[in-house]
Amino acid sequence: MEQEHKIDVKQALRVFDRITREGEKRDDGWHYRGLTAETDFDGYTVLISSPKVRLTVFFHNKYTVDYKNAHELGEFVELLKKLDK
């Protein structure tokens, strides 16, 4: 996963906050403009996902990102940037 360094964790957390404030709450998390946001049971781990990419941010801003190809990751990163404005 050579492009993981492209994830701006602070930006992702700002987007997570926006999704939870402005999104629609459903059983599987908050939904907003193509992204879903959720947390684990204690709130220390947050997840942001699109249909093709899943970003997990852990305590101390460590993260993992699951995706199949660089194009999908690029689209996800662009969506994060767009929603951070």
Side-chain angles (χ1 to χ4, degrees):
M1 309 297 169
E2 70 283 349
Q3 294 190 11
E4 282 192 43
H5 65 278
K6 285 190 159 192
I7 300 294
D8 179 340
V9 173
K10 290 181 182 179
Q11 177 185 64
L13 292 173
R14 288 190 300 268
V15 171
F16 176 86
D17 181 60
R18 182 172 182 187
I19 295 168
T20 58
R21 283 185 292 111
E22 299 179 23
E24 176 187 342
K25 177 73 168 121
R26 299 184 196 159
D27 289 340
D28 62 340
W30 293 269
H31 293 259
Y32 184 73
R33 296 193 179 182
L35 294 178
T36 301
E38 54 190 308
T39 64
D40 67 352
F41 69 95
D42 61 9
Y44 283 110
T45 302
V46 300
L47 300 101
I48 303 172
S49 57
S50 70
K52 298 178 181 179
V53 178
R54 182 174 179 93
L55 170 66
T56 306
V57 181
F58 303 100
F59 197 59
H60 294 299
N61 293 339
K62 296 192 184 299
Y63 68 91
T64 61
V65 61
D66 298 313
Y67 60 96
K68 291 189 177 160
N69 61 56
H71 178 73
E72 292 174 357
L73 179 60
E75 288 178 340
F76 183 80
V77 169
E78 288 304 311
L79 185 54
L80 290 178
K81 287 179 187 175
K82 182 178 176 183
L83 293 179
D84 190 36
K85 292 182 179 181

